[in-house]
Amino acid sequence: ERALELLSSMASDPALGSDDRVWALARQAELRIDAGYPEEALEGLLRAVHRLERPDSSDVGSLYLLLARTYHELGRLEEASEQIERADALLPEQDARRGLMLTIAGEIAQMRGELPEARDLYWRAVEEYPQSSSLLRAMMGVAEVDAQQGDVEESLALYERLVDEYLHRPS
């Protein structure tokens, strides 16, 4: 609660620059999502996006990614896909958050039964953004899709790699 209050105060400070305001709003949304309140996060994100001064900066891309994450968690796949497209247009290619973006897009494709596309998206996240916080999630996605497609050997090999990656990550 205290962190949310501080971030809210920071975000409403008129002296704060646009990029810092976006940062504060994004951290607020992440805290709400992680605490199990995606509806509140969604409400705040939608208000924030509509008030942005520069709706085309890469920092705004992170808000669209958070919107995609929130819609995805709420099971609203169409809206999540729309926000993925917006984030994709704004996040720089080298931005590690693109790993999460690809992973969420993979999960959406998998839920729709589009397994080859899902695997491609997950695999891109693994290969292109290994520094992303969503690496393990993307690896699991590839392994699950491989299993769903009947490629058990590939699936097991990736699960082994996933466990190894998990065990050797710094705490």
Coordinates of all heavy atoms in Angstrom, one line a residue, residues 45-85:
L45 N -4.2 2.2 -15.9 CA -3.5 2.2 -17.1 C -4.3 2.9 -18.2 O -3.7 3.7 -19.0 CB -3.1 0.8 -17.6 CG -1.9 0.2 -16.9 CD1 -1.9 -1.3 -17.2 CD2 -0.6 0.9 -17.2
L46 N -5.6 2.6 -18.3 CA -6.4 3.3 -19.4 C -6.5 4.8 -19.1 O -6.4 5.5 -20.1 CB -7.8 2.6 -19.4 CG -7.9 1.2 -19.9 CD1 -9.3 0.6 -19.8 CD2 -7.4 1.2 -21.4
R47 N -6.6 5.2 -17.9 CA -6.7 6.6 -17.6 C -5.3 7.3 -18.0 O -5.3 8.3 -18.6 CB -6.9 6.9 -16.1 CG -8.4 6.9 -15.7 CD -8.6 7.5 -14.4 NE -7.7 7.0 -13.3 CZ -7.9 6.0 -12.5 NH1 -9.0 5.3 -12.6 NH2 -7.0 5.6 -11.6
A48 N -4.2 6.6 -17.6 CA -2.9 7.1 -17.9 C -2.6 7.2 -19.4 O -2.1 8.3 -19.8 CB -1.9 6.2 -17.2
V49 N -3.0 6.3 -20.1 CA -2.7 6.3 -21.6 C -3.5 7.4 -22.3 O -3.0 8.1 -23.2 CB -3.0 4.9 -22.2 CG1 -3.1 5.0 -23.7 CG2 -2.0 3.9 -21.8
H50 N -4.7 7.7 -21.8 CA -5.5 8.7 -22.4 C -5.0 10.1 -22.1 O -5.2 11.1 -22.8 CB -6.9 8.6 -22.0 CG -7.6 7.4 -22.6 ND1 -7.8 7.3 -23.9 CD2 -8.1 6.3 -22.0 CE1 -8.4 6.2 -24.2 NE2 -8.6 5.5 -23.1
R51 N -4.2 10.2 -21.0 CA -3.7 11.6 -20.6 C -2.2 11.8 -21.0 O -1.6 12.8 -20.7 CB -3.7 11.7 -19.1 CG -5.1 11.8 -18.5 CD -5.1 12.1 -17.0 NE -4.2 11.2 -16.3 CZ -4.5 10.6 -15.2 NH1 -5.6 10.7 -14.7 NH2 -3.6 9.8 -14.6
L52 N -1.6 10.9 -21.8 CA -0.2 11.1 -22.1 C 0.0 12.2 -23.1 O -0.8 12.5 -24.0 CB 0.3 9.8 -22.8 CG 0.4 8.6 -21.9 CD1 0.7 7.4 -22.7 CD2 1.4 8.8 -20.8
E53 N 1.1 12.9 -22.8 CA 1.6 14.0 -23.6 C 2.2 13.5 -24.9 O 2.0 14.1 -26.0 CB 2.5 14.9 -22.9 CG 1.9 15.5 -21.6 CD 3.0 16.0 -20.7 OE1 4.2 16.2 -21.1 OE2 2.7 16.3 -19.5
R54 N 3.0 12.5 -24.8 CA 3.7 11.9 -26.0 C 3.3 10.4 -26.1 O 4.0 9.6 -25.6 CB 5.3 12.0 -25.8 CG 5.7 13.4 -25.8 CD 7.2 13.6 -25.5 NE 8.0 12.5 -25.9 CZ 9.0 11.9 -25.1 NH1 9.2 12.4 -23.9 NH2 9.7 10.9 -25.5
P55 N 2.2 10.2 -26.8 CA 1.8 8.8 -26.9 C 2.6 7.9 -27.8 O 2.2 6.8 -28.1 CB 0.3 9.0 -27.4 CG 0.4 10.2 -28.2 CD 1.4 11.1 -27.5
D56 N 3.7 8.4 -28.3 CA 4.5 7.6 -29.2 C 5.9 7.3 -28.7 O 6.8 6.8 -29.5 CB 4.6 8.2 -30.6 CG 5.2 9.6 -30.5 OD1 5.4 10.1 -29.4 OD2 5.5 10.2 -31.5
S57 N 6.2 7.5 -27.5 CA 7.6 7.2 -26.9 C 7.7 5.7 -26.6 O 6.7 5.0 -26.4 CB 7.9 8.1 -25.7 OG 7.2 7.6 -24.6
S58 N 8.9 5.3 -26.5 CA 9.2 3.9 -26.1 C 8.7 3.6 -24.7 O 8.3 2.4 -24.4 CB 10.6 3.5 -26.3 OG 11.4 4.2 -25.4
D59 N 8.7 4.6 -23.8 CA 8.2 4.3 -22.5 C 6.7 4.1 -22.5 O 6.2 3.3 -21.7 CB 8.5 5.5 -21.6 CG 10.0 5.6 -21.2 OD1 10.6 4.6 -21.2 OD2 10.5 6.7 -20.9
V60 N 6.0 4.7 -23.4 CA 4.6 4.5 -23.5 C 4.4 3.0 -24.0 O 3.4 2.4 -23.7 CB 3.9 5.5 -24.5 CG1 2.5 5.2 -24.7 CG2 4.1 6.9 -23.9
G61 N 5.3 2.5 -24.8 CA 5.3 1.1 -25.3 C 5.2 0.2 -24.1 O 4.5 -0.8 -24.1
S62 N 5.9 0.5 -23.0 CA 5.8 -0.3 -21.8 C 4.4 -0.3 -21.2 O 4.0 -1.3 -20.6 CB 6.9 0.1 -20.8 OG 6.6 1.4 -20.2
L63 N 3.7 0.9 -21.3 CA 2.3 0.9 -20.7 C 1.4 0.1 -21.6 O 0.6 -0.6 -21.1 CB 1.8 2.4 -20.7 CG 2.5 3.3 -19.7 CD1 1.8 4.7 -19.8 CD2 2.4 2.8 -18.3
Y64 N 1.6 0.1 -22.9 CA 0.8 -0.8 -23.8 C 1.1 -2.3 -23.5 O 0.2 -3.1 -23.5 CB 1.0 -0.5 -25.2 CG 0.4 0.8 -25.7 CD1 1.2 1.8 -26.4 CD2 -0.9 1.1 -25.5 CE1 0.6 3.0 -26.8 CE2 -1.5 2.3 -25.9 CZ -0.7 3.2 -26.6 OH -1.2 4.4 -27.0
L65 N 2.3 -2.6 -23.2 CA 2.7 -3.9 -22.8 C 2.0 -4.3 -21.5 O 1.5 -5.4 -21.4 CB 4.2 -4.1 -22.7 CG 4.7 -5.5 -22.3 CD1 4.2 -6.6 -23.2 CD2 6.2 -5.5 -22.2
L66 N 2.0 -3.4 -20.5 CA 1.3 -3.7 -19.3 C -0.2 -3.8 -19.5 O -0.9 -4.7 -18.9 CB 1.5 -2.6 -18.3 CG 2.9 -2.7 -17.6 CD1 3.2 -1.4 -16.8 CD2 3.0 -3.9 -16.7
L67 N -0.8 -3.1 -20.4 CA -2.2 -3.2 -20.8 C -2.4 -4.6 -21.4 O -3.4 -5.3 -21.0 CB -2.6 -2.2 -21.8 CG -3.1 -0.8 -21.2 CD1 -3.3 0.2 -22.3 CD2 -4.4 -1.0 -20.4
A68 N -1.5 -5.0 -22.2 CA -1.6 -6.4 -22.8 C -1.6 -7.4 -21.8 O -2.4 -8.4 -21.8 CB -0.5 -6.6 -23.9
R69 N -0.6 -7.3 -20.8 CA -0.5 -8.3 -19.7 C -1.8 -8.3 -18.9 O -2.3 -9.4 -18.5 CB 0.7 -7.9 -18.9 CG 0.9 -8.8 -17.7 CD 2.1 -8.3 -16.9 NE 2.1 -9.0 -15.6 CZ 2.8 -8.6 -14.6 NH1 3.5 -7.5 -14.6 NH2 2.7 -9.3 -13.5
T70 N -2.3 -7.1 -18.6 CA -3.6 -7.1 -17.8 C -4.7 -7.7 -18.5 O -5.5 -8.5 -18.0 CB -3.8 -5.6 -17.4 OG1 -2.7 -5.0 -16.8 CG2 -5.0 -5.5 -16.5
Y71 N -4.9 -7.3 -19.8 CA -6.0 -7.9 -20.5 C -5.9 -9.4 -20.6 O -6.8 -10.2 -20.5 CB -6.1 -7.3 -22.0 CG -6.8 -6.0 -22.0 CD1 -6.2 -4.9 -22.7 CD2 -8.1 -5.8 -21.5 CE1 -6.8 -3.6 -22.8 CE2 -8.7 -4.5 -21.6 CZ -8.1 -3.5 -22.2 OH -8.7 -2.3 -22.3
H72 N -4.6 -9.9 -20.8 CA -4.4 -11.3 -20.9 C -4.8 -12.0 -19.6 O -5.4 -13.0 -19.7 CB -2.9 -11.5 -21.3 CG -2.5 -12.9 -21.3 ND1 -1.9 -13.6 -20.3 CD2 -2.6 -13.9 -22.3 CE1 -1.6 -14.8 -20.6 NE2 -2.0 -15.0 -21.8
E73 N -4.4 -11.4 -18.5 CA -4.7 -12.0 -17.2 C -6.2 -12.0 -17.0 O -6.7 -12.9 -16.3 CB -4.0 -11.3 -16.1 CG -2.5 -11.6 -16.1 CD -1.8 -11.2 -14.8 OE1 -2.4 -11.1 -13.8 OE2 -0.6 -11.2 -14.9
L74 N -6.9 -11.1 -17.6 CA -8.4 -11.1 -17.4 C -9.1 -11.9 -18.5 O -10.3 -12.0 -18.5 CB -8.9 -9.6 -17.6 CG -8.5 -8.7 -16.4 CD1 -8.8 -7.2 -16.7 CD2 -9.2 -9.1 -15.1
G75 N -8.3 -12.6 -19.4 CA -8.9 -13.4 -20.4 C -9.5 -12.7 -21.6 O -10.2 -13.3 -22.4
R76 N -9.1 -11.4 -21.7 CA -9.6 -10.6 -22.8 C -8.6 -10.6 -23.9 O -7.8 -9.6 -24.1 CB -10.0 -9.2 -22.3 CG -11.1 -9.3 -21.3 CD -11.3 -8.0 -20.5 NE -11.7 -6.9 -21.3 CZ -12.0 -5.7 -20.8 NH1 -12.0 -5.5 -19.5 NH2 -12.3 -4.7 -21.6
L77 N -8.6 -11.7 -24.7 CA -7.5 -11.9 -25.6 C -7.4 -10.9 -26.8 O -6.4 -10.5 -27.3 CB -7.5 -13.3 -26.2 CG -7.5 -14.4 -25.1 CD1 -7.5 -15.8 -25.8 CD2 -6.3 -14.3 -24.2
E78 N -8.6 -10.5 -27.3 CA -8.6 -9.5 -28.4 C -8.0 -8.2 -28.0 O -7.1 -7.7 -28.7 CB -10.0 -9.3 -29.0 CG -10.5 -10.4 -29.9 CD -9.6 -10.7 -31.0 OE1 -9.1 -9.8 -31.7 OE2 -9.3 -11.9 -31.2
E79 N -8.4 -7.7 -26.8 CA -7.8 -6.5 -26.3 C -6.3 -6.6 -26.1 O -5.5 -5.7 -26.4 CB -8.5 -6.0 -25.1 CG -9.9 -5.5 -25.3 CD -11.0 -6.4 -24.8 OE1 -10.8 -7.7 -24.9 OE2 -12.1 -5.9 -24.4
A80 N -5.9 -7.8 -25.5 CA -4.5 -8.0 -25.3 C -3.7 -8.0 -26.6 O -2.6 -7.4 -26.6 CB -4.3 -9.4 -24.6
S81 N -4.3 -8.6 -27.6 CA -3.6 -8.6 -28.9 C -3.4 -7.2 -29.5 O -2.4 -6.9 -30.0 CB -4.3 -9.5 -29.9 OG -4.3 -10.8 -29.5
E82 N -4.4 -6.4 -29.3 CA -4.4 -5.0 -29.8 C -3.3 -4.2 -29.1 O -2.5 -3.5 -29.7 CB -5.7 -4.3 -29.6 CG -6.8 -4.8 -30.5 CD -8.2 -4.2 -30.1 OE1 -8.2 -3.1 -29.3 OE2 -9.2 -4.7 -30.5
Q83 N -3.1 -4.5 -27.8 CA -2.1 -3.8 -27.0 C -0.7 -4.3 -27.4 O 0.3 -3.5 -27.4 CB -2.4 -3.8 -25.5 CG -3.7 -3.3 -25.1 CD -4.0 -1.9 -25.6 OE1 -3.1 -1.0 -25.6 NE2 -5.2 -1.6 -26.1
I84 N -0.6 -5.6 -27.7 CA 0.7 -6.2 -28.1 C 1.1 -5.4 -29.4 O 2.3 -5.1 -29.5 CB 0.5 -7.7 -28.4 CG1 0.4 -8.4 -27.1 CG2 1.7 -8.2 -29.2 CD1 1.6 -8.6 -26.2
E85 N 0.2 -5.2 -30.3 CA 0.6 -4.5 -31.6 C 1.1 -3.1 -31.3 O 2.0 -2.7 -31.9 CB -0.6 -4.5 -32.5 CG -1.0 -5.8 -33.1 CD -2.2 -5.8 -34.0 OE1 -2.5 -4.7 -34.5 OE2 -2.8 -6.9 -34.2

